[in-house]
Amino acid sequence: MASSDSKIDNNFYTELFTKSAPVILVVFAVAVWNLWFVKQILPIEWAPPIVFSLASLKTIMIIRVTFHQLSKIILQSHILTHVVVLFALLIGLIIFSFASDFTAFYLINENAFQANPSILNNSTLSIFFDCMYFSTVTFSAIGYGDIVPSNGWVKALIMLEVILYFFVLVFGIANINGIKIDEKKHDSKS
């Protein structure tokens, strides 16, 4: 039985990371583009719609992976740890992805956000860290108000992140009843 569980785990993780690899690569490639090239290469008026379009593409890709992988878990493995790993991957990708987008908007236009003067005025990596914090706070729906969008493109991007948050949350909750919480109880009923 243990070898069967190990095989299920290995198959799940192999498929999860195989199916997620294109999304992960796109998210990291766009992050590199956003952090180091977008401001230098694009004319200032083209940059916001391109950054937003890339964010929309990443969102569609993340939704597709969410739907496919969570459906597969519900239909095949039914194991809670698989769901936890999937959601950790999704949430990490979402927060990282939007943090790079927020950073790009700030690098394009420093007036895209209103913030405490000690925030968002250092190196690109420090700005990215502050945007990672902002993305985490936005994703968690807390919203402290220490960083506030002051640009229509950024507000649209925040709405996109919140929509993605609700999609992942609602889809996960809607399917949670098909997942094994305690595998031993399930095995004894069989």
Side-chain angles (χ1 to χ4, degrees), residues 17-86:
F17 290 108
T18 301
K19 298 285 185 184
S20 302
V23 178
I24 294 168
L25 290 173
V26 166
V27 165
F28 280 94
V30 171
V32 168
W33 165 260
N34 283 343
L35 298 176
W36 286 285
F37 299 112
V38 73
K39 188 176 178 182
Q40 287 77 21
I41 295 176
L42 292 176
I44 198 75
E45 63 274 0
W46 291 11
I50 289 175
V51 170
F52 186 81
S53 296
L54 290 172
S56 298
L57 173 69
K58 292 184 296 183
T59 298
I60 291 166
M61 292 177 78
I62 290 170
I63 288 172
R64 187 170 176 267
V65 165
T66 302
F67 179 73
H68 181 266
Q69 290 300 315
L70 193 54
S71 296
K72 185 167 279 302
I73 290 169
I74 300 304
L75 294 173
Q76 292 178 358
S77 75
H78 305 284
I79 299 172
L80 181 61
T81 55
H82 292 173
V83 175
V84 171
V85 169
L86 173 63

Side-chain angles (χ1 to χ4, degrees), residues 6-182:
S6 177
K7 185 177 179 183
I8 290 171
D9 279 350
N10 289 339
N11 289 342
F12 168 78
Y13 294 121
T14 301
E15 183 167 344
L16 173 63
F17 290 108
T18 301
K19 298 285 185 184
S20 302
V23 178
I24 294 168
L25 290 173
V26 166
V27 165
F28 280 94
V30 171
V32 168
W33 165 260
N34 283 343
L35 298 176
W36 286 285
F37 299 112
V38 73
K39 188 176 178 182
Q40 287 77 21
I41 295 176
L42 292 176
I44 198 75
E45 63 274 0
W46 291 11
I50 289 175
V51 170
F52 186 81
S53 296
L54 290 172
S56 298
L57 173 69
K58 292 184 296 183
T59 298
I60 291 166
M61 292 177 78
I62 290 170
I63 288 172
R64 187 170 176 267
V65 165
T66 302
F67 179 73
H68 181 266
Q69 290 300 315
L70 193 54
S71 296
K72 185 167 279 302
I73 290 169
I74 300 304
L75 294 173
Q76 292 178 358
S77 75
H78 305 284
I79 299 172
L80 181 61
T81 55
H82 292 173
V83 175
V84 171
V85 169
L86 173 63
F87 277 96
L89 175 67
L90 291 171
I91 292 168
L93 278 174
I94 293 166
I95 290 171
F96 179 84
S97 174
F98 281 93
S100 78
D101 299 330
F102 295 138
T103 303
F105 275 111
Y106 181 80
L107 293 173
I108 294 164
N109 176 5
E110 291 183 5
N111 295 320
F113 295 95
Q114 296 174 354
N116 180 329
S118 65
I119 300 174
L120 297 174
N121 61 358
N122 296 309
S123 69
T124 300
L125 290 179
S126 177
I127 293 166
F128 177 74
F129 178 79
D130 290 335
C131 288
M132 192 81 147
Y133 157 79
F134 179 69
S135 182
T136 303
V137 168
T138 300
F139 187 84
S140 65
I142 294 173
Y144 290 120
D146 53 346
I147 301 174
V148 180
S150 58
N151 172 310
W153 286 106
V154 177
K155 289 176 182 178
L157 190 63
I158 290 169
M159 288 189 289
L160 194 61
E161 184 174 10
V162 170
I163 289 167
L164 190 54
Y165 160 77
F166 281 114
F167 173 81
V168 169
L169 182 70
V170 168
F171 190 73
I173 290 173
N175 290 291
I176 204 79
N177 63 348
I179 299 167
K180 283 190 227 175
I181 301 300
D182 185 353

